[in-house]
Amino acid sequence: MLINYSNATEFYLLGFPGSEELHHILFAIFFFFYLVTLMGNTVIIVIVCVNKRLQSPMYFFLGHLSALEILVTTIIVPVMLWGLLLPGMQTISLSACVVQLFLYLAVGTTEFALLGAMAVDHYVAVCNPLRYNIIMNRHACNFVVLVSWVFGFLFQIWAVYVTFQLTYCKSNVVNNFFCDRGQLLKLSCNNTLFTEFILFLMAVFVLFGSLIPTIVSYTYIISTILKIPSSSGRRKSFSTCASHFTCVVIGYGSCLFLYVKPKQTQAADYNWVVSLMVSVVTPFLNPFIFTLRNDKVIEALQDGVKRCCQLFRN
C-alpha cells in the first residue's frame, strides 16, 4: 500500500490513531452525535413544514439549513463509523472517493451561500420591518434557495475534476477519516502549486463572498438594534439574530482554518480535527442553537409534543 500507485483505483483511509478500545469508544460517541443530529434537524424540518406560526422566510431558510446539515454529516459520518469498527485501514474505491468529496464540498458551499442569504433576511427583518413581506416574498425566497443549491453543486465540479486528474504515485493512503482534498493533493507526484492556488482562490470566493454580506448585514442590524429605546425590544431583536450569528461564527471559523490557506496540503495534524468540527460537531449543535434561543420554535415543539401525547391517549 505504501509503494508507488500511479493508477489508483482505490484509497486507504488512515482514520483515527489509537487502540481498538479507543476506536469503540469513539464509535459510540460519534454514533450518538449522528443520531441526535439526524433527529434534531429532522424535527426542525418537520415543524417548519407543518406549523403555521413558522411559515416565514426565516424558518423556510432554517429548514433548508437543517437539510444541508443532515446531508453533510451523512456524507462523512457513516463511512467514518464503519472505519472505526474495522481493524486496520479502511478501503474506499476511487469512484466512492470522488462522490464523497464532491458532495461534501458542494453541500458545504451551498450552506455558506444560504448562511449569507439568512444574514440578509435578518437585516431586512430588523432594519426594514414594514417592507419585509414585500421584499422577502415567497418567490424571492424560493429563488434564493434554488440559486444557493445550484451554485453550490456547479461551483465544485471543476475543483473535484482537477483533483482526480492528478497522478497518485507517492502512496494511496489518505491521512484522514474521509477523502480529504488536501491529503489527496499531498499524495500526487504532479506539481500542484498552481492547482492549490486556484483552489485557494475558490475557497476565498465562497467563504468571503458569503461572509461580507453577513458582516455588512450585522453591522446595520447592530446599529439599528442599539437605537431601539426599550431594553425589551433590544433583547428581542438580539435574540432573533443570536442563533444565526452563533452558527456563522462556528461554521466560518472552522472552515477558514481548513480551506483558506494557500498550501492545501499542509497541516495534516489538525485537518482531521477541523473536519470533525465541520462534519460532526456543527451539525450536532445547530438544532440546539436554533431551538434553545427561539421562542417560536420552542412553542412549536411543545405543541407537537402535546399533539403526539393526545394521539397516544386516544
Side-chain angles (χ1 to χ4, degrees):
M1 290 184 293
L2 298 177
I3 61 174
N4 285 356
Y5 207 81
S6 57
N7 296 313
T9 57
E10 61 183 19
F11 293 95
Y12 294 89
L13 304 180
L14 196 58
F16 294 88
S19 63
E20 186 176 344
E21 290 76 12
L22 177 61
H23 284 190
H24 290 162
I25 294 172
L26 291 175
F27 175 87
I29 294 172
F30 294 142
F31 184 67
F32 171 75
F33 273 45
Y34 183 55
L35 288 181
V36 173
T37 299
L38 292 182
M39 291 187 293
N41 285 287
T42 301
V43 167
I44 289 178
I45 294 171
V46 171
I47 63 173
V48 166
C49 291
V50 302
N51 195 287
K52 294 182 179 179
R53 285 179 294 183
L54 302 183
Q55 302 300 310
S56 68
M58 181 188 303
Y59 299 105
F60 176 71
F61 292 140
L62 177 58
H64 280 270
L65 182 64
S66 295
L68 288 167
E69 296 288 20
I70 291 174
L71 286 175
V72 76
T73 195
T74 300
I75 291 164
I76 301 297
V77 174
V79 175
M80 179 182 70
L81 292 175
W82 182 243
L84 287 170
L85 292 179
L86 294 175
M89 289 182 284
Q90 181 183 7
T91 305
I92 184 169
S93 67
L94 176 64
S95 57
C97 194
V98 172
V99 171
Q100 186 187 53
L101 180 61
F102 173 71
L103 290 177
Y104 177 70
L105 295 175
V107 170
T109 303
T110 304
E111 187 168 342
F112 283 117
L114 191 61
L115 285 172
M118 291 175 72
V120 176
D121 172 68
H122 285 304
Y123 159 76
V124 178
V126 174
C127 301
N128 295 284
L130 298 179
R131 300 183 59 196
Y132 179 73
N133 291 328
I134 298 174
I135 297 173
M136 301 302 296
N137 57 64
R138 180 180 297 179
H139 295 295
C141 293
N142 288 334
F143 177 77
V144 167
V145 167
L146 179 62
V147 169
S148 298
W149 281 88
V150 172
F151 169 74
F153 278 76
L154 292 181
F155 188 77
Q156 293 297 341
I157 291 176
W158 182 86
V160 175
Y161 172 79
V162 74
T163 300
F164 289 97
Q165 288 301 302
L166 300 172
T167 302
Y168 300 101
C169 60
K170 295 180 180 178
S171 171
N172 63 331
V173 178
V174 180
N175 186 14
N176 212 321
F177 53 83
F178 75 109
C179 283
D180 177 32
R181 182 174 64 193
Q183 295 307 304
L184 288 170
L185 292 173
K186 197 172 184 178
L187 301 180
S188 172
C189 55
N190 302 98
N191 187 346
T192 61
L193 288 178
F194 178 74
T195 301
E196 290 181 53
F197 179 69
I198 298 300
L199 294 175
F200 165 72
L201 293 180
M202 292 176 67
V204 168
F205 177 77
V206 169
L207 292 175
F208 286 94
S210 56
L211 185 59
I212 289 172
T214 300
I215 293 173
V216 173
S217 296
Y218 273 101
T219 301
Y220 281 104
I221 287 170
I222 293 172
S223 176
T224 302
I225 290 175
L226 292 176
K227 294 176 183 178
I228 298 175
S230 66
S231 59
S232 60
R234 289 195 298 270
R235 187 164 52 252
K236 183 178 179 181
S237 298
F238 272 122
S239 178
T240 302
C241 304
S243 300
H244 176 261
F245 184 75
T246 304
C247 181
V248 165
V249 170
I250 296 174
Y252 282 95
S254 55
C255 284
L256 283 171
F257 278 104
L258 187 59
Y259 295 114
V260 184
K261 53 181 186 288
K263 190 69 175 174
Q264 295 286 308
T265 57
Q266 68 182 13
D269 292 337
Y270 72 78
N271 260 18
W272 65 271
V273 177
V274 183
S275 299
L276 277 177
M277 283 290 298
V278 174
S279 59
V280 178
V281 179
T282 302
F284 171 79
L285 291 177
N286 275 355
F288 299 101
I289 292 172
F290 282 102
T291 55
L292 295 179
R293 297 185 62 88
N294 193 305
D295 294 335
K296 286 188 177 181
V297 175
I298 292 175
E299 291 174 4
L301 286 172
Q302 291 173 344
D303 290 344
V305 172
K306 289 178 182 177
R307 289 180 182 179
C308 289
C309 291
Q310 290 175 356
L311 288 174
F312 281 119
R313 288 174 183 174
N314 296 333

PDB file of all heavy atoms in Angstrom, residues 40-56:
ATOM      1  N   GLY A  40     -32.577  15.781  15.569  1.00  0.00           N
ATOM      2  CA  GLY A  40     -32.759  17.205  15.825  1.00  0.00           C
ATOM      3  C   GLY A  40     -33.075  17.985  14.577  1.00  0.00           C
ATOM      4  O   GLY A  40     -34.033  18.786  14.538  1.00  0.00           O
ATOM      5  N   ASN A  41     -32.297  17.768  13.517  1.00  0.00           N
ATOM      6  CA  ASN A  41     -32.529  18.507  12.271  1.00  0.00           C
ATOM      7  C   ASN A  41     -33.807  18.063  11.567  1.00  0.00           C
ATOM      8  O   ASN A  41     -34.490  18.876  10.938  1.00  0.00           O
ATOM      9  CB  ASN A  41     -31.324  18.351  11.342  1.00  0.00           C
ATOM     10  CG  ASN A  41     -30.138  19.186  11.780  1.00  0.00           C
ATOM     11  OD1 ASN A  41     -30.139  20.406  11.646  1.00  0.00           O
ATOM     12  ND2 ASN A  41     -29.121  18.541  12.312  1.00  0.00           N
ATOM     13  N   THR A  42     -34.139  16.771  11.692  1.00  0.00           N
ATOM     14  CA  THR A  42     -35.400  16.295  11.100  1.00  0.00           C
ATOM     15  C   THR A  42     -36.600  16.919  11.801  1.00  0.00           C
ATOM     16  O   THR A  42     -37.581  17.303  11.150  1.00  0.00           O
ATOM     17  CB  THR A  42     -35.480  14.761  11.184  1.00  0.00           C
ATOM     18  OG1 THR A  42     -34.371  14.187  10.484  1.00  0.00           O
ATOM     19  CG2 THR A  42     -36.780  14.250  10.568  1.00  0.00           C
ATOM     20  N   VAL A  43     -36.534  17.026  13.121  1.00  0.00           N
ATOM     21  CA  VAL A  43     -37.609  17.664  13.884  1.00  0.00           C
ATOM     22  C   VAL A  43     -37.796  19.111  13.435  1.00  0.00           C
ATOM     23  O   VAL A  43     -38.928  19.588  13.254  1.00  0.00           O
ATOM     24  CB  VAL A  43     -37.315  17.590  15.400  1.00  0.00           C
ATOM     25  CG1 VAL A  43     -38.254  18.529  16.169  1.00  0.00           C
ATOM     26  CG2 VAL A  43     -37.490  16.169  15.903  1.00  0.00           C
ATOM     27  N   ILE A  44     -36.694  19.832  13.242  1.00  0.00           N
ATOM     28  CA  ILE A  44     -36.787  21.218  12.782  1.00  0.00           C
ATOM     29  C   ILE A  44     -37.463  21.291  11.419  1.00  0.00           C
ATOM     30  O   ILE A  44     -38.346  22.125  11.182  1.00  0.00           O
ATOM     31  CB  ILE A  44     -35.388  21.863  12.734  1.00  0.00           C
ATOM     32  CG1 ILE A  44     -34.872  22.108  14.147  1.00  0.00           C
ATOM     33  CG2 ILE A  44     -35.429  23.184  11.964  1.00  0.00           C
ATOM     34  CD1 ILE A  44     -33.475  22.686  14.205  1.00  0.00           C
ATOM     35  N   ILE A  45     -37.076  20.416  10.494  1.00  0.00           N
ATOM     36  CA  ILE A  45     -37.676  20.406   9.158  1.00  0.00           C
ATOM     37  C   ILE A  45     -39.174  20.143   9.236  1.00  0.00           C
ATOM     38  O   ILE A  45     -39.988  20.808   8.587  1.00  0.00           O
ATOM     39  CB  ILE A  45     -36.993  19.352   8.267  1.00  0.00           C
ATOM     40  CG1 ILE A  45     -35.538  19.747   8.005  1.00  0.00           C
ATOM     41  CG2 ILE A  45     -37.733  19.197   6.943  1.00  0.00           C
ATOM     42  CD1 ILE A  45     -34.720  18.674   7.320  1.00  0.00           C
ATOM     43  N   VAL A  46     -39.551  19.167  10.066  1.00  0.00           N
ATOM     44  CA  VAL A  46     -40.969  18.790  10.182  1.00  0.00           C
ATOM     45  C   VAL A  46     -41.798  19.930  10.760  1.00  0.00           C
ATOM     46  O   VAL A  46     -42.853  20.288  10.221  1.00  0.00           O
ATOM     47  CB  VAL A  46     -41.118  17.514  11.038  1.00  0.00           C
ATOM     48  CG1 VAL A  46     -42.596  17.255  11.347  1.00  0.00           C
ATOM     49  CG2 VAL A  46     -40.507  16.324  10.319  1.00  0.00           C
ATOM     50  N   ILE A  47     -41.333  20.537  11.861  1.00  0.00           N
ATOM     51  CA  ILE A  47     -42.141  21.590  12.491  1.00  0.00           C
ATOM     52  C   ILE A  47     -42.202  22.835  11.614  1.00  0.00           C
ATOM     53  O   ILE A  47     -43.206  23.554  11.618  1.00  0.00           O
ATOM     54  CB  ILE A  47     -41.633  21.939  13.906  1.00  0.00           C
ATOM     55  CG1 ILE A  47     -40.212  22.511  13.855  1.00  0.00           C
ATOM     56  CG2 ILE A  47     -41.720  20.746  14.821  1.00  0.00           C
ATOM     57  CD1 ILE A  47     -39.726  23.030  15.193  1.00  0.00           C
ATOM     58  N   VAL A  48     -41.151  23.099  10.855  1.00  0.00           N
ATOM     59  CA  VAL A  48     -41.180  24.246   9.928  1.00  0.00           C
ATOM     60  C   VAL A  48     -42.206  23.997   8.829  1.00  0.00           C
ATOM     61  O   VAL A  48     -42.898  24.929   8.388  1.00  0.00           O
ATOM     62  CB  VAL A  48     -39.778  24.493   9.333  1.00  0.00           C
ATOM     63  CG1 VAL A  48     -39.849  25.440   8.130  1.00  0.00           C
ATOM     64  CG2 VAL A  48     -38.850  25.086  10.388  1.00  0.00           C
ATOM     65  N   CYS A  49     -42.335  22.759   8.400  1.00  0.00           N
ATOM     66  CA  CYS A  49     -43.274  22.430   7.320  1.00  0.00           C
ATOM     67  C   CYS A  49     -44.727  22.411   7.785  1.00  0.00           C
ATOM     68  O   CYS A  49     -45.630  22.811   7.034  1.00  0.00           O
ATOM     69  CB  CYS A  49     -42.920  21.073   6.709  1.00  0.00           C
ATOM     70  SG  CYS A  49     -41.379  21.061   5.764  1.00  0.00           S
ATOM     71  N   VAL A  50     -44.991  21.963   9.031  1.00  0.00           N
ATOM     72  CA  VAL A  50     -46.370  21.736   9.456  1.00  0.00           C
ATOM     73  C   VAL A  50     -46.943  22.833  10.345  1.00  0.00           C
ATOM     74  O   VAL A  50     -48.167  22.976  10.443  1.00  0.00           O
ATOM     75  CB  VAL A  50     -46.505  20.374  10.181  1.00  0.00           C
ATOM     76  CG1 VAL A  50     -46.040  19.244   9.279  1.00  0.00           C
ATOM     77  CG2 VAL A  50     -45.718  20.364  11.489  1.00  0.00           C
ATOM     78  N   ASN A  51     -46.066  23.619  11.012  1.00  0.00           N
ATOM     79  CA  ASN A  51     -46.571  24.624  11.948  1.00  0.00           C
ATOM     80  C   ASN A  51     -46.803  25.951  11.233  1.00  0.00           C
ATOM     81  O   ASN A  51     -45.888  26.513  10.624  1.00  0.00           O
ATOM     82  CB  ASN A  51     -45.578  24.811  13.099  1.00  0.00           C
ATOM     83  CG  ASN A  51     -46.204  25.564  14.264  1.00  0.00           C
ATOM     84  OD1 ASN A  51     -46.435  26.754  14.197  1.00  0.00           O
ATOM     85  ND2 ASN A  51     -46.482  24.840  15.348  1.00  0.00           N
ATOM     86  N   LYS A  52     -48.009  26.474  11.313  1.00  0.00           N
ATOM     87  CA  LYS A  52     -48.369  27.703  10.599  1.00  0.00           C
ATOM     88  C   LYS A  52     -47.634  28.922  11.135  1.00  0.00           C
ATOM     89  O   LYS A  52     -47.409  29.887  10.408  1.00  0.00           O
ATOM     90  CB  LYS A  52     -49.886  27.924  10.690  1.00  0.00           C
ATOM     91  CG  LYS A  52     -50.698  26.872   9.952  1.00  0.00           C
ATOM     92  CD  LYS A  52     -52.182  27.164  10.036  1.00  0.00           C
ATOM     93  CE  LYS A  52     -52.988  26.112   9.271  1.00  0.00           C
ATOM     94  NZ  LYS A  52     -54.446  26.367   9.355  1.00  0.00           N
ATOM     95  N   ARG A  53     -47.265  28.898  12.428  1.00  0.00           N
ATOM     96  CA  ARG A  53     -46.562  30.045  13.004  1.00  0.00           C
ATOM     97  C   ARG A  53     -45.134  30.172  12.490  1.00  0.00           C
ATOM     98  O   ARG A  53     -44.502  31.210  12.657  1.00  0.00           O
ATOM     99  CB  ARG A  53     -46.548  29.927  14.539  1.00  0.00           C
ATOM    100  CG  ARG A  53     -47.870  30.254  15.186  1.00  0.00           C
ATOM    101  CD  ARG A  53     -47.802  30.095  16.691  1.00  0.00           C
ATOM    102  NE  ARG A  53     -47.594  28.713  17.086  1.00  0.00           N
ATOM    103  CZ  ARG A  53     -47.563  28.294  18.349  1.00  0.00           C
ATOM    104  NH1 ARG A  53     -47.693  29.162  19.327  1.00  0.00           N
ATOM    105  NH2 ARG A  53     -47.381  27.028  18.631  1.00  0.00           N
ATOM    106  N   LEU A  54     -44.630  29.112  11.862  1.00  0.00           N
ATOM    107  CA  LEU A  54     -43.260  29.134  11.352  1.00  0.00           C
ATOM    108  C   LEU A  54     -43.221  29.261   9.830  1.00  0.00           C
ATOM    109  O   LEU A  54     -42.201  28.968   9.209  1.00  0.00           O
ATOM    110  CB  LEU A  54     -42.516  27.864  11.789  1.00  0.00           C
ATOM    111  CG  LEU A  54     -42.437  27.607  13.298  1.00  0.00           C
ATOM    112  CD1 LEU A  54     -41.623  26.361  13.583  1.00  0.00           C
ATOM    113  CD2 LEU A  54     -41.846  28.801  14.033  1.00  0.00           C
ATOM    114  N   GLN A  55     -44.329  29.701   9.230  1.00  0.00           N
ATOM    115  CA  GLN A  55     -44.371  29.887   7.791  1.00  0.00           C
ATOM    116  C   GLN A  55     -43.872  31.285   7.430  1.00  0.00           C
ATOM    117  O   GLN A  55     -44.616  32.156   7.009  1.00  0.00           O
ATOM    118  CB  GLN A  55     -45.791  29.662   7.267  1.00  0.00           C
ATOM    119  CG  GLN A  55     -46.367  28.302   7.565  1.00  0.00           C
ATOM    120  CD  GLN A  55     -45.541  27.186   6.965  1.00  0.00           C
ATOM    121  OE1 GLN A  55     -45.211  27.213   5.785  1.00  0.00           O
ATOM    122  NE2 GLN A  55     -45.197  26.184   7.774  1.00  0.00           N
ATOM    123  N   SER A  56     -42.578  31.498   7.616  1.00  0.00           N
ATOM    124  CA  SER A  56     -41.956  32.780   7.285  1.00  0.00           C
ATOM    125  C   SER A  56     -40.599  32.503   6.650  1.00  0.00           C
ATOM    126  O   SER A  56     -40.064  31.395   6.788  1.00  0.00           O
ATOM    127  CB  SER A  56     -41.792  33.643   8.543  1.00  0.00           C
ATOM    128  OG  SER A  56     -40.831  33.088   9.413  1.00  0.00           O
TER     129      SER A  56
END
